[in-house]
Amino acid sequence: MHPRILIVEDDHALRDALRRGLLDEDFTPVPAADGASALRLATADIAAAVLDIGLPDADGRDVCHALRANGFRAPVVFLTARHGLTDRLSGFSAGGDDYLAKPFHLAELVARLRAALKRAASPPLAATGDLVLDAVHHHMRVHGRPVALSPTEFRLLAVLVAANGTLVRRRDLVRAGWPEGAHVSDNTLDQYLTRLRRKLREAGSGLTVGTARGVGHRLS
Ligand code: CA
């Protein structure tokens, strides 16, 4: 069965282009033009939602809040014309799973949808010690308390957790963290690992991301 994807976008031309594009990629698109229709159409058989932030009747983030409050569990990918970090963070705190700035290529949306569907299908991963990665809600829990992670942070941590204390090579971390194949400098990877260490420390975890110089990293 083709996964049903709710497309919430008020721009008629873009909505139709997404509908046709997703159809070509073997999804079953379910188009909606505003927040009210989105809430009506977000049934349990929807596998994922693509949600524009700038809707005529509501802010997409409020729509996402309402969907989550109604028990909608499927991944949500936000679309927005805005680029700011504040927007990105408020998108995640609204219960979104990923974020795409307009204009974007359909191929990128499809890649993100597939990644989100895959994450949603895999069960939560447990690490040794005090850390649980929740692949459904896209966060980590330390001592039972949720800690928000960006999609890249989540993917990096997931591969470290899966390695179960063994070394992960830096190039494997880059491959996992940036699945769309972006060029990532050493410095960028280090910045993300620094952020993960800080989040683990601030959450009171006994785990950190260790470094074997020139080889890779491990969670221990
Ligand atoms: Ca719009």
Side-chain angles (χ1 to χ4, degrees):
M1 205 184 81
H2 296 165
R4 291 168 63 80
I5 310 292
L6 181 62
I7 304 168
V8 191
E9 169 60 64
D10 58 305
D11 181 307
H12 179 269
L14 180 55
R15 188 172 67 246
D16 203 49
L18 290 175
R19 186 186 61 76
R20 281 181 280 112
L22 291 184
L23 209 50
D24 283 346
E25 295 287 337
D26 287 338
F27 293 107
T28 300
V30 179
D34 53 41
S37 322
L39 289 170
R40 200 178 62 245
L41 292 168
T43 45
D45 61 346
I46 297 289
V50 178
L51 182 51
D52 184 29
I53 286 186
L55 293 168
D57 60 337
D59 185 302
R61 288 165 295 195
D62 295 333
V63 175
C64 188
H65 261 307
L67 288 171
R68 295 299 187 220
N70 289 350
F72 184 75
R73 293 263 168 270
V76 171
V77 178
F78 281 116
L79 299 181
T80 181
R82 298 163 232 168
H83 293 262
L85 181 65
T86 331
D87 256 23
R88 197 175 274 257
L89 291 176
S90 62
F92 292 124
S93 64
D97 298 84
D98 207 347
Y99 198 99
L100 204 51
K102 295 176 186 175
F104 55 87
H105 290 289
L106 181 72
E108 184 167 12
L109 176 62
V110 167
R112 291 193 187 216
L113 274 176
R114 291 203 202 285
L117 289 169
K118 206 166 147 190
R119 283 195 302 271
S122 48
L125 305 163
T128 46
D130 49 27
L131 172 67
V132 173
L133 263 188
D134 184 328
V136 176
H137 300 98
H138 220 257
H139 59 218
M140 64 174 174
R141 283 197 298 273
V142 178
H143 303 300
R145 281 190 303 274
V147 179
L149 297 170
S150 76
T152 302
E153 289 167 356
F154 183 90
R155 291 190 289 262
L156 290 173
L157 196 54
V159 80
L160 288 164
V161 166
N164 199 21
T166 62
L167 273 178
V168 182
R169 290 176 306 172
R170 285 176 68 87
R171 70 158 184 265
D172 291 333
L173 282 168
V174 168
R175 217 172 277 159
W178 290 266
E180 63 276 10
H183 176 76
V184 175
S185 69
D186 272 348
N187 192 29
T188 302
L189 177 60
D190 286 331
Q191 282 171 6
Y192 273 88
L193 295 178
T194 299
R195 246 182 273 173
L196 279 178
R197 288 185 193 105
R198 193 184 60 226
K199 287 190 174 183
L200 287 165
R201 193 175 58 240
E202 287 175 356
S205 172
L207 296 167
T208 191
V209 182
T211 302
R213 206 162 294 283
V215 188
H217 300 273
R218 65 159 64 90
L219 193 66
S220 57

